Amino acid sequence: MTPLVRSVRSADTLTRDALAVLQPGFTGTTAPDWLLRRLGEGLVSVGLFGRNVADPAQLAALTGRLRAEREELIVAIDEEGGDVTRLEVRGGSSFPGNHALGAVDDTALTRAVARELGRRLADCGINLNWAPSADVNSNPGNPVIGVRSFGADPQLVARHTAAYVEGLQSAGVAACTKHFPGHGDTAVDSHHDLPRIAVDLPTLQERELVPFRAAVAAGTRAVMSAHILLPALDGEHPATLSPAALHGLLRAPATEGGLGFDGLIVTDGMEMQAISATYGIERGSVLALAAGADAICVGGGLADEDIVLRLRDALVRAVRDGELPEQRLADAAARVRALAGRTRSADVGERAAPAPGIGLTAARRALRLTAAGPYAPLAEPAYVAAFTPLANIAVGDETPWGVAAELARLLPGTETATCTAEAAAAAGTAALVDGLLTAAAGRRVVAVVRDVHRHPWMAEALSTLLAARPDTAVVEMGVPQAPPQGALHLATHGAARVCAQAAAEALTDQRLSPGE
């Protein structure tokens, strides 16, 4: 009978460990019964997304209900501020993103913004933030990082990554620095395909890894792996599945060329096509754990009980089949539980003092104005032409952007039109611009663009508009890579709501209070 009892106990421990390493999501603004049940069976982490957030009171009630089931629990969210927001997914963020903070280049400001963001997360019961992005935006054509990066200079990115980690964690929220070993030099979005970065190891050490070393030195509690292939490091597996990247580089001591990181390694979303379309989610999760990952992030797209059970069973089966060492799974589960205990909401320490208006202050400081000559501020309702590219999945299409709403608050009667690549292709650029000018009916025009350097259709439409109406003001809300154009050019370095507020103030020479 003794062997049977030992076997049952071992099976139960294995199942609990398999659940412990998962960071799943769910749908709805209340906790489903299946999730509460799995928390009782060993699940230690829950990931939240915009679909789970209505308002701070609802979010606090939700996390409180989760913790009533399991006190030592990781509640994670993808709240970068700026373009990528979940707390304010339907209204736009109260905080500028990384690119705006990098443009100001004041680490004290970055630390203060991150601390206030962390305070709001902690007040809602969230204790792990999948941020900051430490990617060096060395490829201006990058379709997924862009304004999510502090900039293109590794040293600038490093000092602001460290400041962000310090600020966030001073509010009692663990930072998860991403996307290791660096997603900035990619021309492909890993949500859709597997990016490949063809740089040598010295370049990786001198560019991509510099901010991650700074994050580790600043004490980041977690690091998120990227689904990117670096042949110089591992010619077969993307970083998330690569022992060379996770165990051999991220974990290795500095004396061996590694980063010496001993915290939690979290994967990027395993349902992203770079993994799921190549390896499958179950196989990919087994390989990630075997490579050195501790927590499997899933739930952005697959968010039900079935995916939790599939991954749990895949991990248990892999251990039993000898594909995944039982000790590796046990070590990963122990790291997750350790972070859950360390970041327990009751023990976050001294609460951060509120810093109202810090986001708008930062957005104002990030604004860069270039005038072709004298420019009279807008004093009457204007017409806003928003040249809108397809949003990447990380940002999503639910979060509003542009300056029309903020401008209309200062100048009631302001109207807007949305122009897309499809509309430009269907009507032709000349006809599209003629339509805009007809609708403007003599009003001053404000053209809003986002990464105009990446979108030829947008650049052509903007040039055509400026040729017809040279007095047009241009607001660039992406990476300001293209030369400034327009009678007045405003670079906001991001599309957060506060960036729009700062731009609207500059266009009208008026000021909004932070609470307006």
Side-chain angles (χ1 to χ4, degrees):
M1 293 297 293
T2 302
L4 178 60
V5 172
R6 187 160 53 244
S7 175
V8 170
R9 184 180 297 124
S10 176
D12 179 65
T13 299
L14 189 58
T15 300
R16 295 186 74 84
D17 284 351
L19 281 171
V21 302
L22 302 181
Q23 289 192 347
F26 62 96
T27 57
T29 54
T30 57
D33 290 341
W34 70 262
L35 182 62
L36 299 175
R37 186 169 61 253
R38 299 303 170 191
L39 288 173
E41 295 174 0
L43 193 67
V44 183
S45 306
V46 175
L48 301 180
F49 298 86
R51 61 175 181 255
N52 305 122
V53 180
D55 55 58
Q58 166 271 325
L59 190 53
L62 169 60
T63 59
R65 178 66 187 92
L66 294 171
R67 285 203 171 83
E69 201 66 37
R70 184 183 189 95
E71 184 180 3
E72 293 192 348
L73 176 69
I74 294 173
V75 182
I77 199 167
D78 191 9
E79 181 59 50
E80 299 177 16
D83 291 32
V84 179
T85 179
R86 310 307 177 209
L87 287 183
E88 301 178 276
V89 65
R90 293 167 195 88
S93 182
S94 300
F95 303 92
N98 286 1
H99 207 59
L101 295 172
V104 178
D105 197 13
D106 178 347
T107 53
L109 178 67
T110 295
R111 192 175 295 107
V113 167
R115 183 175 172 85
E116 174 63 11
L117 179 58
R119 185 193 67 80
R120 295 194 190 183
L121 292 173
D123 282 352
C124 293
I126 293 162
N127 55 9
L128 174 64
N129 190 11
W130 293 318
S133 291
D135 308 291
V136 178
N137 200 47
S138 53
N139 182 350
N142 194 312
V144 68
I145 301 301
V147 294
R148 300 167 67 196
S149 166
F150 289 110
D153 174 38
Q155 296 300 329
L156 179 144
V157 176
R159 60 180 173 266
H160 287 279
T161 296
Y164 196 106
V165 167
E166 292 164 358
L168 190 65
Q169 294 188 165
S170 72
V173 176
C176 183
T177 305
K178 61 187 183 185
H179 307 80
F180 182 84
H183 210 310
D185 192 21
T186 60
V188 173
D189 184 345
S190 52
H191 289 91
H192 302 299
D193 207 345
L194 178 62
R196 177 188 179 98
I197 300 181
V199 300
D200 56 23
L201 288 178
T203 300
L204 188 71
Q205 291 281 359
E206 296 167 8
R207 190 177 66 184
E208 273 75 16
L209 295 182
V210 173
F212 289 97
R213 292 186 191 280
V216 172
T220 186
R221 301 274 165 75
V223 169
M224 178 177 282
S225 66
H227 306 329
I228 56 176
L229 188 69
L230 294 104
L233 190 63
D234 186 327
E236 182 179 358
H237 300 106
T240 294
L241 313 183
S242 170
L246 301 187
H247 180 73
L249 184 58
L250 185 52
R251 290 275 189 233
T255 54
E256 298 175 14
L259 276 67
F261 178 64
D262 194 40
L264 190 74
I265 299 178
V266 183
T267 72
D268 207 344
M270 296 301 284
E271 65 266 51
M272 294 164 64
Q273 292 295 301
I275 299 295
S276 61
T278 307
Y279 299 88
I281 293 177
E282 291 97 331
R283 178 67 178 158
S285 296
V286 170
L287 291 173
L289 263 292
D294 303 307
I296 302 297
C297 179
V298 66
L302 300 172
D304 55 19
E305 185 176 24
D306 177 65
I307 189 63
V308 172
L309 298 180
R310 281 169 54 194
L311 294 182
R312 178 200 67 181
D313 294 347
L315 295 174
V316 169
R317 187 166 54 249
V319 170
R320 289 176 173 161
D321 292 345
E323 294 182 82
L324 176 63
E326 185 171 359
Q327 190 58 49
R328 170 79 275 273
L329 179 61
D331 289 346
R335 270 203 178 90
V336 175
R337 295 186 187 110
L339 184 62
R342 186 173 186 179
T343 56
R344 188 171 52 200
S345 61
D347 295 331
V348 297
E350 181 183 353
R351 286 288 184 184
I358 187 69
L360 182 54
T361 296
R364 286 169 176 158
R365 290 183 62 186
L367 196 64
R368 298 291 180 267
L369 283 68
T370 306
Y375 183 83
L378 299 176
E380 297 179 350
Y383 191 80
V384 178
F387 295 95
T388 305
L390 184 67
N392 69 57
I393 291 177
V395 174
D397 56 10
E398 194 176 2
T399 304
W401 77 286
V403 302
E406 300 302 327
L407 201 54
R409 291 163 64 195
L410 294 172
L411 299 175
T414 293
E415 296 180 355
T416 187
T418 298
C419 310
T420 64
E422 291 77 13
T429 300
L432 178 73
V433 172
D434 283 345
L436 290 174
L437 295 177
T438 298
R443 287 173 288 182
R444 301 269 295 275
V445 177
V446 176
V448 185
V449 295
R450 199 172 188 175
D451 293 337
V452 70
H453 67 283
R454 293 201 302 112
H455 304 288
W457 71 270
M458 190 185 297
E460 182 182 358
L462 180 61
S463 294
T464 303
L465 174 60
L466 291 174
R469 288 288 300 271
D471 62 337
T472 295
V474 177
V475 182
E476 168 62 87
M477 303 195 81
V479 177
Q481 187 73 23
Q485 298 181 76
L488 179 68
H489 183 276
L490 305 180
T492 62
H493 300 89
R497 176 172 51 83
V498 286
C499 294
Q501 284 183 261
E505 291 175 346
L507 288 166
T508 60
D509 199 22
Q510 299 185 52
R511 278 222 161 184
L512 290 161
S513 69
E516 282 190 290

